[in-house]
Each structure stands twice: as structure tokens, then as C-alpha cells.
Amino acid sequence: MTDLQYDYQSVSTHTKTNGIHNLVLAHQTEIETVNSIPCFFWGTLTEPYTTAKCWATLAKVVRSSFGPVPPSLRDPIVSAGAERMRFEGFSSCNGVYVRLDMKPEAIDGEFIASGTTNVDFNDPLLNALNAIQKGEKVTLAVGQQEVQVITAKTSASEKKVTLPTRWIKGLTSVQLYLADMDLKLEVSRLQAIQLFQSLPKGTIKGDFFITKRAGKCMFSTLATPDSVRIGGVQRLRLLEGILPIVEKISIYESSDKQTCALVCDFPKMQLLMAFSPDAYRGFSGEGKALENMTQSLPEEWIFGLNKLLKSNEAFDPTMLAIENDIDFGTMDHLTSSLSSIGLLGYDLTERNHFYRQLPFKTERILSLNPRLKNAKKLIDNKDIQIVANTNGHVEAIVKGSGVFHKVTIDAKSQRCTCDWFTAYQGKRGICKHILAVKMIA
């Protein structure tokens, strides 16, 4: 599978003039209209020390790997709009998702444009971030600004970067997991530091659980009704750099108790880190978004919403349906479809979706799902015979490679006799046979 490659026309730079740190984050995107925007934001950081520590944590995540994929340098995605900025990315193995939500009070400046783009986090910039101390002043520009005083002492050069296909697929899946999570535990700064001090050393195999006893959180190898499962517990070390400055950490868990997320609260921002079920499993391979891709979304709807909604704007399906005279059933399908192709993110604290413009073309998302392509191939080849379809109960025979599979779908379950379903029992998304039957039945 080929990753998306493009060139930064310049690199992110850092200079210090009269005691003021100046950061220019170079940007690049696959969308030409967005790429032509010279600057998304220009202003100052009101909490530069906290922001720098969170950016360093984000960079640590995107440069890490906990699976068979070797770590490589990847650049985060930034969404600017609705008076806030969101930086997000994945580990190289795609098993850890990180997002920094900078609230309006965290930034003081002008949003020149709304949109989403990749930004260059290079080594000199990260070294500069690590040197920022409390009380220092930092100006920030996302994208090149015409005021050249910031980069006058720095030579710009072209840099080729890669946006991994695993990231693209991950963005279409991770918010579906987040929307399925509920708050389980809250820990203070002191409790968090004490918890992480007991974090097992080295690479740990097997399940670990966070549980709370007598007001104290601890790790355990035994599950209890109120514990939270952490697959690949060593991945929690990614958060160690921000523990001394965090106000509290909220721990969320999905309904199937497979995935979890930690939301770290600061006065003017939040850092979310979500973990896939295990270190060797990435969000991109779980197939959770497939069921919402069974119906195609007209392109004119996507273009219309891109004009109607700003990046980071709260997505309220009820109000959108009322204001634009859209049937509620249609809006439910629209919400599922937008979420499944990555155009909606999810805010755990606010318990709502937000709109996200993407730095790549939406047709790329559908092309990166082999099960979806194989399901469409089964339909095109007329390899599906519907045996029964009454009162929500569907039975079908699907032709495989030298064998026929039986698919059964009803209101409570969906089953297939293929090896994929036998191995995963639906825990990694539906198989291509069930997907194809749902698309035509």
C-alpha cells in the first residue's frame, strides 16, 4: 500500500528575538485550495510552557511504534477554526491516537482561515520547544506569514514528507471508538504521579487493569467490575512528560472494554490519548467504520458541508436537520457516513462530534479499505444469493474461493461461516461477506 507523499515548500522554524520565541509551523495538504492559504493562524500562546510540553508529548507519540512497524518521523495534523486549534496524530504502529485541543483562551490572535493541514515538526523545532521556560512569550504562525521578520534569519528548504495510509484509515475509525466510551475513573495530579510510579518496567505481555481502591489508583493483572483494561500498558509511558503539570486525568473505556482513552486536563487545553486493544493492533485495521460505509454519501453533500461548516465547529445533527430541512433519518445516516470517512471527530468531554476538514481527498479513504473493495467485487460478480429476507432476518449464500459461506443477519447478531469471522467473532469489524450482504439486502 502506497503512502501519500508531498513536499513542504519550507520547513517549520524557530527564532528568538528580544526574548520572544517565534514559531512558524510550515503546512502542506493534498487539497489545493487549502494548500494555497498562506497562513491559518497568527498570534501568541497564552500558556506557552504547557503548550510546549503537550506538543513534545504529541511528537513523542507520532515518533513511536509498539508493533511490527518500525518508528518513523511523522508530522501531526492541525485543524484551525472556531477560535481553537486541534493537533492530532498516531503512533507509527497506529495503535496510539493523540489529540491536543487548544481552547480559545489558550491562543490570542487572528484566525485567518479555517481548515486542516499537516504541519512540520522537525528536530530543531522540538529542541526549541523543550527549551521554553515558564513566563516566556511565544508567538505562533500556522503556515507561512507575509511578515518575514520571523524567518529572516532562517533559510527555507523543501522537505518531502509522508502521510501514512494507516493514519488516514485511523482517522476514519478512532472517533467511532471514542463515541462509544464512558467515563470510568478520575485521578488528581498526585494520584496520577503515584499511579505511574507503579507502572511495570519493560515490555509487558498480558492484560493490565487500572483499578481504584480506598481512594488510590493502582495497576492489577485481575479485572474487577469497575476496573479499566489497558492493552499494552507500557504505552502509558508516553504521558510521563506532562504528569507534573496536569490538573487531573479522566479515564474512559469503550462498552466492549477493549479500548480506553485518557483525557489530561490543563487550565486552557486538553490532551487526549486513546489506546487500541493491544500494542500489536492498530486502529486502522479494526474495521469498525465498515458498517457505516455500506451506503455511499453523495459528493455534493460533502462539498456542501465543507462550505457550511468550519473546521472544529460543533456538529449538532438535530439543529442541522431543523435549520436545513433534512429528515432526521437521513441526518442519522449522514452523521454515520461523515464519521466513517473521518469528517467528524469526537470530543469526549463535551460528548459531541466536531467537524473536521481533511488534508487529503475523501475518495482516498474508500480506496484504502480492502474489505469494502472486496465486498463490492462480490456484488459485481453476482456471487451473493439471498435465501431469505423477512422481518429484519436475512440469510444468504456467498461464493468464496472454492467454498460457499452462509451469512445470517438479524436485529441482534450477524454471523458468517468464513475463517475471518471464526477467528475474530466480529471484534475486528465485519467480514467482506457480511458487508456485501448488508450492502444489497
Side-chain angles (χ1 to χ4, degrees), residues 228-268:
V228 176
R229 178 184 176 273
I230 306 288
V233 69
Q234 66 270 17
R235 298 181 291 179
L236 287 177
R237 294 195 184 95
L238 293 167
L239 288 166
E240 289 178 331
I242 57 175
L243 293 180
I245 59 174
V246 72
E247 286 192 332
K248 70 173 182 177
I249 296 179
S250 303
I251 303 174
Y252 294 78
E253 187 179 44
S254 60
S255 59
D256 61 4
K257 301 185 76 67
Q258 291 294 302
T259 58
C260 68
L262 277 67
V263 177
C264 303
D265 276 296
F266 305 91
K268 299 180 180 180

Side-chain angles (χ1 to χ4, degrees), residues 250-410:
S250 303
I251 303 174
Y252 294 78
E253 187 179 44
S254 60
S255 59
D256 61 4
K257 301 185 76 67
Q258 291 294 302
T259 58
C260 68
L262 277 67
V263 177
C264 303
D265 276 296
F266 305 91
K268 299 180 180 180
M269 62 195 75
Q270 284 184 332
L271 187 137
L272 177 148
M273 201 174 289
F275 301 90
S276 64
D278 288 292
Y280 61 88
R281 289 169 61 178
F283 284 109
S284 61
E286 297 300 283
K288 195 175 182 70
L290 286 173
E291 293 196 54
N292 293 326
M293 292 184 180
T294 56
Q295 299 182 37
S296 60
L297 187 67
E299 285 192 2
E300 56 268 22
W301 286 39
I302 297 176
F303 296 145
L305 281 169
N306 266 323
K307 294 180 180 179
L308 180 66
L309 300 173
K310 294 182 179 179
S311 196
N312 291 332
E313 184 175 346
F315 183 85
D316 188 333
T318 302
M319 290 303 299
L320 275 174
I322 295 173
E323 292 173 355
N324 296 278
D325 195 24
I326 300 175
D327 178 79
F328 285 113
T330 302
M331 181 54 70
D332 288 341
H333 166 56
L334 175 62
T335 302
S336 297
S337 298
L338 290 172
S339 184
S340 69
I341 60 175
L343 290 177
L344 295 182
Y346 193 78
D347 190 317
L348 271 173
T349 303
E350 299 294 333
R351 307 302 295 177
N352 64 9
H353 288 90
F354 60 87
Y355 192 70
R356 179 204 285 124
Q357 294 175 333
L358 294 173
F360 42 82
K361 298 174 182 177
T362 53
E363 58 264 27
R364 183 181 296 278
I365 300 169
L366 298 179
S367 69
L368 295 177
N369 288 277
R371 266 180 276 173
L372 180 62
K373 290 192 291 186
N374 290 334
K376 290 182 176 180
K377 185 176 180 180
L378 289 173
I379 296 173
D380 293 341
N381 292 340
K382 296 182 171 31
D383 290 334
I384 303 170
Q385 178 186 355
I386 302 296
V387 178
N389 188 356
T390 56
N391 299 324
H393 179 83
V394 179
E395 291 184 13
I397 302 298
V398 183
K399 182 180 179 181
S401 301
V403 67
F404 288 90
H405 303 292
K406 182 179 180 180
V407 172
T408 305
I409 301 173
D410 56 38

Side-chain angles (χ1 to χ4, degrees), residues 46-76:
T46 62
E47 292 284 350
Y49 180 77
T50 302
T51 305
K53 290 297 182 184
C54 289
W55 277 346
T57 299
L58 187 146
K60 189 176 180 180
V61 172
V62 302
R63 293 174 174 223
S64 66
S65 179
F66 300 91
V69 180
S72 55
L73 305 184
R74 306 297 190 185
D75 295 319

Side-chain angles (χ1 to χ4, degrees), residues 127-141:
N127 292 334
L129 292 176
N130 290 326
I132 291 176
Q133 301 297 315
K134 294 181 179 179
E136 292 191 285
K137 186 175 181 180
V138 177
T139 64
L140 171 69

